[in-house]
C-alpha cells in the first residue's frame, strides 16, 4: 500500500514539474511548435532509461519510473498536438511532432540506458 501511495505522490510531483518546465521553456523557445513538451518527453525518456539501466530494483523503479516520470512525461499531449496540426492542415508539423518525439525519445532512452548501466 505504501508503494501505491508513493507512486501517486510521485505522479503528482512529476505533473507539477512538467507544468513548471512547460511554462518556463515556453517563454524562451520559439512559438508555433510544442518545443517545451518535446523537451519534457526527451528528458523524461532519458531519465527513465538511466533508472532502468542502473537496475534500481522494483520499488524504486516503480515509484520513480511509473510515478514521477509517468507524471512528468506526456505523450497524450503529443497526440493532441499532432492531431491539431493535422486538422489545421499543417501536415509537416504533425509528422515532425509525432516522428521527432518518437525518434528523439527512443534515442534518449537508449542513451540513458547506457549511462545507467555504466553507473550500476
Amino acid at each position: 500500500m505504501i508503494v501505491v501511495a508513493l507512486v501517486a505522490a510521485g505522479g503528482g510531483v512529476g505533473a507539477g514539474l512538467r507544468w513548471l518546465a512547460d511554462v518556463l521553456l515556453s517563454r524562451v523557445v520559439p512559438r508555433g511548435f510544442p518545443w517545451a513538451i518535446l523537451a519534457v518527453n526527451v528528458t523524461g525518456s532519458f531519465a527513465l532509461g538511466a533508472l532502468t539501466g542502473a537496475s534500481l530494483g522494483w520499488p524504486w523503479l516503480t515509484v520513480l519510473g511509473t510515478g514521477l516520470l509517468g507524471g512528468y512525461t506526456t505523450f497524450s499531449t503529443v497526440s493532441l498536438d499532432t492531431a491539431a496540426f493535422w486538422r489545421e492542415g499543417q501536415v509537416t508539423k504533425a509528422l515532425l511532432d509525432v516522428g521527432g518525439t518518437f525518434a528523439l525519445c527512443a534515442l534518449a532512452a537508449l542513451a540513458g540506458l547506457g549511462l545507467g548501466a555504466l553507473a550500476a
Side-chain angles (χ1 to χ4, degrees), residues 39-95:
V40 162
N41 285 330
V42 170
T43 57
S45 295
F46 177 83
L48 184 57
L51 291 173
T52 303
S55 301
L56 290 181
W58 174 78
W60 285 109
L61 192 55
T62 301
V63 171
L64 296 175
T66 303
L68 182 71
L69 294 173
Y72 177 68
T73 56
T74 175
F75 291 97
S76 58
T77 300
V78 174
S79 299
L80 191 62
D81 289 342
T82 298
F85 285 141
W86 191 273
R87 188 175 52 252
E88 294 165 1
Q90 298 182 56
V91 176
T92 302
K93 278 187 181 179
L95 295 175

Side-chain angles (χ1 to χ4, degrees), residues 9 18 29 51 81 96 116:
R18 174 185 3 111
V29 295
L51 291 173
D81 289 342
L96 284 173

Side-chain angles (χ1 to χ4, degrees), residues 22-36 85 90 93:
D22 188 29
V23 167
L24 294 175
L25 288 172
S26 292
R27 293 179 181 173
V28 297
V29 295
R31 294 181 188 256
F33 192 82
W35 295 109
F85 285 141
Q90 298 182 56
K93 278 187 181 179

